[in-house]
Amino acid sequence: MFHNWHFFLAIPVLGYGFAWVGHFFFEKNKPATFQYPGYSLVSDFILFYDLLTGKQSFVVKK
């Protein structure tokens, strides 16, 4: 399965698909990923880095 290049084409859909469904059907808005795909991808990596280095907490503060 992982040796097939088609799997890599499905990664963005699998990774963002649930967020897109949430935006369209629950929040009733259009995700920024469609207008600014580069910024959206880069910001995901920045957030992930901040989580790993402890700059951002995994727990949401109230």
Side-chain angles (χ1 to χ4, degrees):
M1 176 176 167
F2 294 111
H3 298 286
N4 190 343
W5 64 272
H6 290 98
F7 177 75
F8 291 104
L9 295 176
I11 288 175
V13 176
L14 294 173
Y16 287 104
F18 292 106
W20 293 340
V21 168
H23 275 285
F24 284 125
F25 295 108
F26 299 108
E27 296 179 6
K28 307 284 192 246
N29 61 17
K30 188 171 94 173
T33 304
F34 296 137
Q35 190 171 6
Y36 305 106
Y39 287 131
S40 179
L41 182 64
V42 169
S43 66
D44 287 342
F45 282 107
I46 291 171
L47 176 60
F48 185 62
Y49 176 78
D50 288 346
L51 287 168
L52 291 178
T53 59
K55 187 175 180 182
Q56 175 72 33
S57 174
F58 279 95
V59 180
V60 178
K61 296 177 183 173
K62 292 183 182 182

Short mmCIF file of all heavy atoms in Angstrom, two decimals:
data_model
loop_
_atom_site.label_atom_id
_atom_site.label_comp_id
_atom_site.label_asym_id
_atom_site.label_seq_id
_atom_site.Cartn_x
_atom_site.Cartn_y
_atom_site.Cartn_z
N MET A 1 0.82 -1.19 0.00
CA MET A 1 0.00 0.00 0.00
C MET A 1 0.87 1.26 0.00
O MET A 1 0.62 2.19 -0.74
CB MET A 1 -0.93 -0.01 1.21
CG MET A 1 -1.75 1.25 1.32
SD MET A 1 -2.87 1.09 2.70
CE MET A 1 -3.40 2.74 2.84
N PHE A 2 1.88 1.32 0.86
CA PHE A 2 2.70 2.52 0.97
C PHE A 2 3.69 2.66 -0.18
O PHE A 2 4.30 3.70 -0.33
CB PHE A 2 3.44 2.54 2.30
CG PHE A 2 2.52 2.68 3.47
CD1 PHE A 2 2.34 1.62 4.34
CD2 PHE A 2 1.82 3.85 3.69
CE1 PHE A 2 1.48 1.75 5.42
CE2 PHE A 2 0.98 3.98 4.76
CZ PHE A 2 0.80 2.92 5.63
N HIS A 3 3.83 1.63 -0.98
CA HIS A 3 4.74 1.69 -2.11
C HIS A 3 4.05 2.24 -3.36
O HIS A 3 4.69 2.46 -4.37
CB HIS A 3 5.32 0.31 -2.41
CG HIS A 3 6.11 -0.24 -1.27
ND1 HIS A 3 7.37 0.23 -0.96
CD2 HIS A 3 5.83 -1.19 -0.35
CE1 HIS A 3 7.82 -0.41 0.09
NE2 HIS A 3 6.91 -1.28 0.48
N ASN A 4 2.77 2.46 -3.28
CA ASN A 4 2.01 2.97 -4.40
C ASN A 4 1.96 4.50 -4.32
O ASN A 4 1.57 5.07 -3.31
CB ASN A 4 0.59 2.39 -4.35
CG ASN A 4 -0.20 2.68 -5.59
OD1 ASN A 4 0.14 3.56 -6.37
ND2 ASN A 4 -1.27 1.93 -5.77
N TRP A 5 2.33 5.20 -5.38
CA TRP A 5 2.38 6.66 -5.37
C TRP A 5 1.00 7.29 -5.27
O TRP A 5 0.88 8.46 -4.90
CB TRP A 5 3.14 7.20 -6.58
CG TRP A 5 2.47 6.90 -7.89
CD1 TRP A 5 2.65 5.78 -8.65
CD2 TRP A 5 1.54 7.72 -8.58
NE1 TRP A 5 1.88 5.86 -9.78
CE2 TRP A 5 1.19 7.05 -9.77
CE3 TRP A 5 0.96 8.95 -8.32
CZ2 TRP A 5 0.28 7.57 -10.67
CZ3 TRP A 5 0.06 9.48 -9.23
CH2 TRP A 5 -0.26 8.79 -10.39
N HIS A 6 -0.05 6.55 -5.59
CA HIS A 6 -1.41 7.08 -5.46
C HIS A 6 -1.73 7.40 -4.00
O HIS A 6 -2.55 8.28 -3.72
CB HIS A 6 -2.43 6.08 -6.01
CG HIS A 6 -2.36 5.95 -7.49
ND1 HIS A 6 -1.68 4.93 -8.10
CD2 HIS A 6 -2.87 6.72 -8.47
CE1 HIS A 6 -1.80 5.06 -9.40
NE2 HIS A 6 -2.50 6.16 -9.66
N PHE A 7 -1.12 6.68 -3.09
CA PHE A 7 -1.33 6.92 -1.67
C PHE A 7 -0.93 8.35 -1.31
O PHE A 7 -1.61 9.02 -0.53
CB PHE A 7 -0.52 5.91 -0.84
CG PHE A 7 -0.62 6.14 0.64
CD1 PHE A 7 -1.76 5.79 1.32
CD2 PHE A 7 0.44 6.69 1.33
CE1 PHE A 7 -1.85 5.99 2.69
CE2 PHE A 7 0.37 6.90 2.69
CZ PHE A 7 -0.78 6.55 3.37
N PHE A 8 0.14 8.86 -1.90
CA PHE A 8 0.60 10.21 -1.59
C PHE A 8 -0.34 11.28 -2.14
O PHE A 8 -0.41 12.37 -1.60
CB PHE A 8 2.02 10.42 -2.11
CG PHE A 8 3.03 9.62 -1.35
CD1 PHE A 8 3.57 8.47 -1.90
CD2 PHE A 8 3.42 9.99 -0.08
CE1 PHE A 8 4.49 7.72 -1.18
CE2 PHE A 8 4.33 9.26 0.65
CZ PHE A 8 4.86 8.10 0.08
N LEU A 9 -1.06 10.97 -3.19
CA LEU A 9 -2.05 11.91 -3.70
C LEU A 9 -3.25 12.03 -2.75
O LEU A 9 -3.92 13.05 -2.71
CB LEU A 9 -2.53 11.47 -5.09
CG LEU A 9 -1.49 11.50 -6.19
CD1 LEU A 9 -2.08 10.96 -7.48
CD2 LEU A 9 -0.96 12.91 -6.39
N ALA A 10 -3.51 10.98 -1.98
CA ALA A 10 -4.64 10.98 -1.07
C ALA A 10 -4.32 11.67 0.25
O ALA A 10 -5.24 12.01 1.00
CB ALA A 10 -5.09 9.55 -0.80
N ILE A 11 -3.06 11.91 0.55
CA ILE A 11 -2.68 12.49 1.85
C ILE A 11 -3.35 13.84 2.11
O ILE A 11 -3.91 14.04 3.19
CB ILE A 11 -1.14 12.56 1.97
CG1 ILE A 11 -0.59 11.16 2.17
CG2 ILE A 11 -0.73 13.46 3.14
CD1 ILE A 11 0.92 11.10 2.18
N PRO A 12 -3.34 14.80 1.17
CA PRO A 12 -4.01 16.07 1.46
C PRO A 12 -5.51 15.93 1.71
O PRO A 12 -6.06 16.57 2.60
CB PRO A 12 -3.75 16.92 0.22
CG PRO A 12 -2.60 16.30 -0.45
CD PRO A 12 -2.64 14.85 -0.11
N VAL A 13 -6.14 15.06 0.96
CA VAL A 13 -7.58 14.86 1.14
C VAL A 13 -7.85 14.22 2.50
O VAL A 13 -8.78 14.62 3.21
CB VAL A 13 -8.17 14.01 0.00
CG1 VAL A 13 -9.63 13.70 0.24
CG2 VAL A 13 -7.97 14.72 -1.33
N LEU A 14 -7.04 13.24 2.87
CA LEU A 14 -7.22 12.60 4.17
C LEU A 14 -6.88 13.55 5.30
O LEU A 14 -7.55 13.58 6.33
CB LEU A 14 -6.35 11.34 4.26
CG LEU A 14 -6.72 10.20 3.33
CD1 LEU A 14 -5.66 9.10 3.42
CD2 LEU A 14 -8.08 9.66 3.66
N GLY A 15 -5.84 14.33 5.12
CA GLY A 15 -5.40 15.23 6.18
C GLY A 15 -6.32 16.41 6.40
O GLY A 15 -6.57 16.83 7.53
N TYR A 16 -6.84 16.97 5.32
CA TYR A 16 -7.69 18.16 5.42
C TYR A 16 -9.17 17.85 5.24
O TYR A 16 -10.02 18.71 5.49
CB TYR A 16 -7.27 19.19 4.38
CG TYR A 16 -5.98 19.88 4.70
CD1 TYR A 16 -4.81 19.54 4.04
CD2 TYR A 16 -5.93 20.87 5.67
CE1 TYR A 16 -3.61 20.17 4.33
CE2 TYR A 16 -4.74 21.50 5.97
CZ TYR A 16 -3.59 21.15 5.30
OH TYR A 16 -2.42 21.78 5.59
N GLY A 17 -9.51 16.67 4.79
CA GLY A 17 -10.90 16.34 4.47
C GLY A 17 -11.87 16.55 5.62
O GLY A 17 -12.94 17.13 5.44
N PHE A 18 -11.51 16.09 6.80
CA PHE A 18 -12.41 16.25 7.94
C PHE A 18 -12.59 17.72 8.32
O PHE A 18 -13.68 18.16 8.68
CB PHE A 18 -11.90 15.45 9.15
CG PHE A 18 -11.97 13.96 8.94
CD1 PHE A 18 -10.83 13.24 8.70
CD2 PHE A 18 -13.19 13.31 8.97
CE1 PHE A 18 -10.88 11.86 8.50
CE2 PHE A 18 -13.27 11.94 8.77
CZ PHE A 18 -12.11 11.21 8.53
N ALA A 19 -11.53 18.50 8.21
CA ALA A 19 -11.62 19.93 8.49
C ALA A 19 -12.52 20.62 7.47
O ALA A 19 -13.33 21.49 7.82
CB ALA A 19 -10.23 20.57 8.50
N TRP A 20 -12.39 20.24 6.20
CA TRP A 20 -13.22 20.85 5.16
C TRP A 20 -14.70 20.54 5.39
O TRP A 20 -15.56 21.40 5.24
CB TRP A 20 -12.80 20.36 3.79
CG TRP A 20 -11.44 20.82 3.37
CD1 TRP A 20 -10.73 21.87 3.87
CD2 TRP A 20 -10.62 20.23 2.37
NE1 TRP A 20 -9.52 21.97 3.24
CE2 TRP A 20 -9.42 20.98 2.31
CE3 TRP A 20 -10.77 19.15 1.52
CZ2 TRP A 20 -8.40 20.67 1.43
CZ3 TRP A 20 -9.74 18.85 0.64
CH2 TRP A 20 -8.57 19.60 0.60
N VAL A 21 -15.00 19.30 5.74
CA VAL A 21 -16.39 18.92 6.02
C VAL A 21 -16.93 19.73 7.19
O VAL A 21 -18.05 20.23 7.16
CB VAL A 21 -16.50 17.40 6.30
CG1 VAL A 21 -17.86 17.04 6.87
CG2 VAL A 21 -16.22 16.61 5.03
N GLY A 22 -16.12 19.89 8.22
CA GLY A 22 -16.54 20.68 9.38
C GLY A 22 -16.81 22.13 9.02
O GLY A 22 -17.79 22.73 9.48
N HIS A 23 -15.95 22.70 8.20
CA HIS A 23 -16.15 24.08 7.78
C HIS A 23 -17.43 24.23 6.97
O HIS A 23 -18.23 25.13 7.21
CB HIS A 23 -14.97 24.58 6.93
CG HIS A 23 -13.82 25.09 7.74
ND1 HIS A 23 -13.83 26.30 8.37
CD2 HIS A 23 -12.62 24.54 8.01
CE1 HIS A 23 -12.69 26.48 8.99
NE2 HIS A 23 -11.93 25.42 8.79
N PHE A 24 -17.63 23.38 5.99
CA PHE A 24 -18.78 23.51 5.10
C PHE A 24 -20.11 23.22 5.78
O PHE A 24 -21.06 23.98 5.64
CB PHE A 24 -18.63 22.59 3.88
CG PHE A 24 -17.65 23.08 2.86
CD1 PHE A 24 -16.60 22.28 2.45
CD2 PHE A 24 -17.78 24.34 2.29
CE1 PHE A 24 -15.71 22.72 1.50
CE2 PHE A 24 -16.88 24.79 1.35
CZ PHE A 24 -15.84 23.98 0.95
N PHE A 25 -20.18 22.12 6.51
CA PHE A 25 -21.47 21.66 7.02
C PHE A 25 -21.80 22.15 8.43
O PHE A 25 -22.98 22.31 8.77
CB PHE A 25 -21.55 20.14 6.97
CG PHE A 25 -21.52 19.61 5.57
CD1 PHE A 25 -20.40 18.97 5.08
CD2 PHE A 25 -22.60 19.78 4.72
CE1 PHE A 25 -20.36 18.49 3.78
CE2 PHE A 25 -22.58 19.32 3.41
CZ PHE A 25 -21.45 18.66 2.95
N PHE A 26 -20.81 22.38 9.26
CA PHE A 26 -21.09 22.79 10.64
C PHE A 26 -20.87 24.28 10.86
O PHE A 26 -21.69 24.94 11.49
CB PHE A 26 -20.24 21.98 11.63
CG PHE A 26 -20.52 20.51 11.55
CD1 PHE A 26 -19.61 19.63 10.99
CD2 PHE A 26 -21.72 19.98 12.02
CE1 PHE A 26 -19.87 18.28 10.90
CE2 PHE A 26 -22.00 18.63 11.94
CZ PHE A 26 -21.07 17.78 11.39
N GLU A 27 -19.78 24.81 10.37
CA GLU A 27 -19.48 26.23 10.57
C GLU A 27 -20.06 27.11 9.47
O GLU A 27 -20.12 28.32 9.62
CB GLU A 27 -17.97 26.43 10.66
CG GLU A 27 -17.35 25.74 11.85
CD GLU A 27 -15.85 25.93 11.91
OE1 GLU A 27 -15.29 26.69 11.09
OE2 GLU A 27 -15.21 25.31 12.78
N LYS A 28 -20.47 26.49 8.37
CA LYS A 28 -21.08 27.19 7.24
C LYS A 28 -20.17 28.29 6.67
O LYS A 28 -20.60 29.41 6.41
CB LYS A 28 -22.42 27.82 7.64
CG LYS A 28 -23.40 26.88 8.27
CD LYS A 28 -24.04 25.98 7.25
CE LYS A 28 -25.22 25.26 7.87
NZ LYS A 28 -25.09 23.88 8.00
N ASN A 29 -18.88 27.97 6.50
CA ASN A 29 -17.94 28.91 5.89
C ASN A 29 -16.96 28.17 4.99
O ASN A 29 -16.98 26.95 4.93
CB ASN A 29 -17.22 29.74 6.96
CG ASN A 29 -16.39 28.90 7.90
OD1 ASN A 29 -16.08 27.75 7.63
ND2 ASN A 29 -16.03 29.47 9.03
N LYS A 30 -16.15 28.93 4.29
CA LYS A 30 -15.17 28.34 3.38
C LYS A 30 -13.80 28.36 4.05
O LYS A 30 -13.35 29.40 4.52
CB LYS A 30 -15.13 29.15 2.08
CG LYS A 30 -14.29 28.51 1.00
CD LYS A 30 -14.45 29.24 -0.31
CE LYS A 30 -13.36 30.25 -0.43
NZ LYS A 30 -13.31 30.92 -1.73
N PRO A 31 -13.11 27.23 4.12
CA PRO A 31 -11.80 27.20 4.76
C PRO A 31 -10.76 28.05 4.01
O PRO A 31 -10.80 28.16 2.79
CB PRO A 31 -11.40 25.73 4.74
CG PRO A 31 -12.37 25.03 3.90
CD PRO A 31 -13.52 25.92 3.63
N ALA A 32 -9.85 28.63 4.74
CA ALA A 32 -8.79 29.45 4.16
C ALA A 32 -7.84 28.63 3.29
O ALA A 32 -7.12 29.19 2.47
CB ALA A 32 -8.01 30.16 5.26
N THR A 33 -7.86 27.33 3.45
CA THR A 33 -6.99 26.45 2.67
C THR A 33 -7.21 26.63 1.17
O THR A 33 -6.28 26.53 0.38
CB THR A 33 -7.24 24.98 3.05
OG1 THR A 33 -7.06 24.83 4.44
CG2 THR A 33 -6.30 24.05 2.33
N PHE A 34 -8.45 26.92 0.77
CA PHE A 34 -8.74 27.05 -0.65
C PHE A 34 -8.20 28.36 -1.22
O PHE A 34 -7.79 28.42 -2.37
CB PHE A 34 -10.24 26.97 -0.91
CG PHE A 34 -10.82 25.62 -0.56
CD1 PHE A 34 -12.02 25.53 0.12
CD2 PHE A 34 -10.17 24.46 -0.91
CE1 PHE A 34 -12.55 24.30 0.44
CE2 PHE A 34 -10.69 23.22 -0.59
CZ PHE A 34 -11.89 23.14 0.08
N GLN A 35 -8.22 29.42 -0.41
CA GLN A 35 -7.74 30.71 -0.89
C GLN A 35 -6.22 30.86 -0.73
O GLN A 35 -5.56 31.45 -1.56
CB GLN A 35 -8.45 31.84 -0.16
CG GLN A 35 -8.20 33.19 -0.77
CD GLN A 35 -9.10 34.26 -0.17
OE1 GLN A 35 -9.84 34.00 0.77
NE2 GLN A 35 -9.03 35.45 -0.70
N TYR A 36 -5.69 30.34 0.38
CA TYR A 36 -4.26 30.47 0.69
C TYR A 36 -3.66 29.10 1.03
O TYR A 36 -3.31 28.84 2.19
CB TYR A 36 -4.05 31.41 1.87
CG TYR A 36 -4.66 32.77 1.68
CD1 TYR A 36 -5.81 33.13 2.36
CD2 TYR A 36 -4.08 33.69 0.81
CE1 TYR A 36 -6.38 34.39 2.19
CE2 TYR A 36 -4.64 34.94 0.64
CZ TYR A 36 -5.79 35.29 1.33
OH TYR A 36 -6.34 36.52 1.15
N PRO A 37 -3.54 28.19 0.07
CA PRO A 37 -3.05 26.85 0.40
C PRO A 37 -1.63 26.82 0.94
O PRO A 37 -1.32 26.04 1.84
CB PRO A 37 -3.17 26.09 -0.91
CG PRO A 37 -3.24 27.13 -1.97
CD PRO A 37 -3.83 28.35 -1.35
N GLY A 38 -0.76 27.68 0.44
CA GLY A 38 0.62 27.71 0.92
C GLY A 38 0.72 28.16 2.36
O GLY A 38 1.41 27.54 3.18
N TYR A 39 0.02 29.24 2.68
CA TYR A 39 0.02 29.74 4.06
C TYR A 39 -0.58 28.72 5.01
O TYR A 39 -0.12 28.54 6.14
CB TYR A 39 -0.75 31.05 4.17
CG TYR A 39 -0.05 32.24 3.58
CD1 TYR A 39 -0.70 33.09 2.71
CD2 TYR A 39 1.27 32.52 3.89
CE1 TYR A 39 -0.07 34.19 2.16
CE2 TYR A 39 1.92 33.61 3.34
CZ TYR A 39 1.24 34.45 2.49
OH TYR A 39 1.87 35.53 1.96
N SER A 40 -1.62 28.05 4.57
CA SER A 40 -2.28 27.05 5.41
C SER A 40 -1.32 25.90 5.73
O SER A 40 -1.22 25.46 6.88
CB SER A 40 -3.52 26.52 4.70
OG SER A 40 -4.15 25.55 5.46
N LEU A 41 -0.62 25.42 4.72
CA LEU A 41 0.32 24.31 4.93
C LEU A 41 1.47 24.73 5.83
O LEU A 41 1.83 24.00 6.76
CB LEU A 41 0.84 23.81 3.58
CG LEU A 41 1.79 22.63 3.63
CD1 LEU A 41 1.09 21.41 4.19
CD2 LEU A 41 2.36 22.35 2.26
N VAL A 42 2.05 25.89 5.56
CA VAL A 42 3.18 26.37 6.37
C VAL A 42 2.75 26.58 7.82
O VAL A 42 3.47 26.22 8.75
CB VAL A 42 3.78 27.66 5.76
CG1 VAL A 42 4.76 28.30 6.71
CG2 VAL A 42 4.44 27.35 4.44
N SER A 43 1.56 27.15 8.02
CA SER A 43 1.11 27.40 9.40
C SER A 43 0.89 26.09 10.16
O SER A 43 1.09 26.04 11.37
CB SER A 43 -0.16 28.25 9.40
OG SER A 43 -1.23 27.53 8.83
N ASP A 44 0.48 25.04 9.46
CA ASP A 44 0.35 23.73 10.12
C ASP A 44 1.70 23.24 10.64
O ASP A 44 1.80 22.72 11.76
CB ASP A 44 -0.24 22.70 9.16
CG ASP A 44 -1.70 22.92 8.90
OD1 ASP A 44 -2.35 23.64 9.69
OD2 ASP A 44 -2.21 22.38 7.90
N PHE A 45 2.74 23.40 9.81
CA PHE A 45 4.07 22.97 10.24
C PHE A 45 4.61 23.84 11.38
O PHE A 45 5.26 23.34 12.29
CB PHE A 45 5.04 22.97 9.06
CG PHE A 45 4.87 21.78 8.16
CD1 PHE A 45 4.28 21.93 6.92
CD2 PHE A 45 5.28 20.53 8.56
CE1 PHE A 45 4.11 20.83 6.09
CE2 PHE A 45 5.12 19.42 7.74
CZ PHE A 45 4.53 19.58 6.50
N ILE A 46 4.32 25.13 11.34
CA ILE A 46 4.76 26.03 12.42
C ILE A 46 4.08 25.66 13.73
O ILE A 46 4.72 25.58 14.78
CB ILE A 46 4.50 27.50 12.04
CG1 ILE A 46 5.42 27.92 10.90
CG2 ILE A 46 4.69 28.41 13.25
CD1 ILE A 46 5.08 29.28 10.32
N LEU A 47 2.78 25.41 13.67
CA LEU A 47 2.06 25.00 14.89
C LEU A 47 2.60 23.68 15.42
O LEU A 47 2.80 23.52 16.63
CB LEU A 47 0.57 24.89 14.61
CG LEU A 47 -0.27 24.38 15.78
CD1 LEU A 47 -0.15 25.30 17.00
CD2 LEU A 47 -1.72 24.22 15.37
N PHE A 48 2.86 22.72 14.54
CA PHE A 48 3.40 21.44 14.96
C PHE A 48 4.75 21.60 15.63
O PHE A 48 5.03 21.01 16.68
CB PHE A 48 3.50 20.50 13.74
CG PHE A 48 3.93 19.11 14.08
CD1 PHE A 48 3.16 18.31 14.90
CD2 PHE A 48 5.09 18.59 13.56
CE1 PHE A 48 3.55 17.02 15.23
CE2 PHE A 48 5.50 17.30 13.86
CZ PHE A 48 4.72 16.52 14.70
N TYR A 49 5.60 22.45 15.06
CA TYR A 49 6.91 22.72 15.65
C TYR A 49 6.75 23.37 17.03
O TYR A 49 7.43 23.00 17.99
CB TYR A 49 7.73 23.63 14.73
CG TYR A 49 9.06 24.04 15.31
CD1 TYR A 49 10.13 23.16 15.30
CD2 TYR A 49 9.23 25.29 15.88
CE1 TYR A 49 11.36 23.53 15.85
CE2 TYR A 49 10.44 25.66 16.42
CZ TYR A 49 11.50 24.78 16.41
OH TYR A 49 12.70 25.15 16.95
N ASP A 50 5.84 24.35 17.15
CA ASP A 50 5.61 25.01 18.43
C ASP A 50 5.08 24.03 19.48
O ASP A 50 5.42 24.13 20.66
CB ASP A 50 4.64 26.18 18.27
CG ASP A 50 5.26 27.36 17.55
OD1 ASP A 50 6.51 27.39 17.41
OD2 ASP A 50 4.50 28.26 17.13
N LEU A 51 4.25 23.09 19.07
CA LEU A 51 3.76 22.08 20.01
C LEU A 51 4.88 21.17 20.49
O LEU A 51 4.98 20.85 21.67
CB LEU A 51 2.66 21.25 19.34
CG LEU A 51 1.32 21.93 19.14
CD1 LEU A 51 0.43 21.09 18.23
CD2 LEU A 51 0.64 22.19 20.46
N LEU A 52 5.75 20.77 19.57
CA LEU A 52 6.85 19.87 19.94
C LEU A 52 7.90 20.54 20.82
O LEU A 52 8.49 19.89 21.68
CB LEU A 52 7.53 19.32 18.68
CG LEU A 52 6.70 18.35 17.85
CD1 LEU A 52 7.49 17.92 16.61
CD2 LEU A 52 6.29 17.13 18.65
N THR A 53 8.13 21.83 20.62
CA THR A 53 9.13 22.53 21.40
C THR A 53 8.59 23.12 22.70
O THR A 53 9.35 23.68 23.48
CB THR A 53 9.77 23.66 20.57
OG1 THR A 53 8.76 24.57 20.16
CG2 THR A 53 10.51 23.10 19.37
N GLY A 54 7.27 23.00 22.92
CA GLY A 54 6.68 23.50 24.16
C GLY A 54 6.29 24.97 24.14
O GLY A 54 5.84 25.52 25.12
N LYS A 55 6.47 25.62 23.01
CA LYS A 55 6.09 27.03 22.88
C LYS A 55 4.57 27.18 22.93
O LYS A 55 4.04 28.17 23.43
CB LYS A 55 6.65 27.60 21.58
CG LYS A 55 6.47 29.07 21.41
CD LYS A 55 7.17 29.55 20.16
CE LYS A 55 6.99 31.04 19.97
NZ LYS A 55 7.64 31.50 18.73
N GLN A 56 3.85 26.20 22.40
CA GLN A 56 2.40 26.16 22.41
C GLN A 56 1.96 24.96 23.22
O GLN A 56 2.51 23.87 23.07
CB GLN A 56 1.87 26.05 20.98
CG GLN A 56 0.39 25.89 20.83
CD GLN A 56 -0.37 27.14 21.14
OE1 GLN A 56 0.10 28.24 20.89
NE2 GLN A 56 -1.52 27.02 21.71
N SER A 57 0.95 25.12 24.07
CA SER A 57 0.47 24.04 24.89
C SER A 57 -0.48 23.14 24.10
O SER A 57 -1.22 23.61 23.24
CB SER A 57 -0.24 24.60 26.12
OG SER A 57 -0.84 23.56 26.85
N PHE A 58 -0.48 21.85 24.42
CA PHE A 58 -1.43 20.93 23.79
C PHE A 58 -2.84 21.13 24.36
O PHE A 58 -3.81 20.80 23.73
CB PHE A 58 -1.01 19.48 24.04
CG PHE A 58 0.06 19.00 23.11
CD1 PHE A 58 1.39 19.06 23.46
CD2 PHE A 58 -0.26 18.50 21.86
CE1 PHE A 58 2.38 18.63 22.60
CE2 PHE A 58 0.71 18.05 20.99
CZ PHE A 58 2.04 18.12 21.37
N VAL A 59 -2.93 21.68 25.58
CA VAL A 59 -4.20 21.88 26.26
C VAL A 59 -4.67 23.31 26.03
O VAL A 59 -3.90 24.26 26.19
CB VAL A 59 -4.05 21.61 27.77
CG1 VAL A 59 -5.37 21.82 28.49
CG2 VAL A 59 -3.52 20.20 28.01
N VAL A 60 -5.94 23.47 25.66
CA VAL A 60 -6.51 24.80 25.44
C VAL A 60 -6.76 25.45 26.79
O VAL A 60 -7.37 24.87 27.68
CB VAL A 60 -7.83 24.71 24.65
CG1 VAL A 60 -8.44 26.07 24.47
CG2 VAL A 60 -7.60 24.03 23.32
N LYS A 61 -6.24 26.67 26.94
CA LYS A 61 -6.43 27.41 28.19
C LYS A 61 -7.76 28.13 28.13
O LYS A 61 -8.11 28.74 27.15
CB LYS A 61 -5.29 28.39 28.39
CG LYS A 61 -3.94 27.72 28.55
CD LYS A 61 -2.83 28.72 28.68
CE LYS A 61 -1.51 27.98 28.77
NZ LYS A 61 -0.39 28.90 28.72
N LYS A 62 -8.49 28.10 29.25
CA LYS A 62 -9.81 28.75 29.30
C LYS A 62 -9.70 30.18 29.74
O LYS A 62 -8.90 30.61 30.44
CB LYS A 62 -10.72 27.99 30.24
CG LYS A 62 -11.06 26.63 29.70
CD LYS A 62 -12.01 25.92 30.60
CE LYS A 62 -12.31 24.54 30.07
NZ LYS A 62 -13.24 23.83 30.86
#
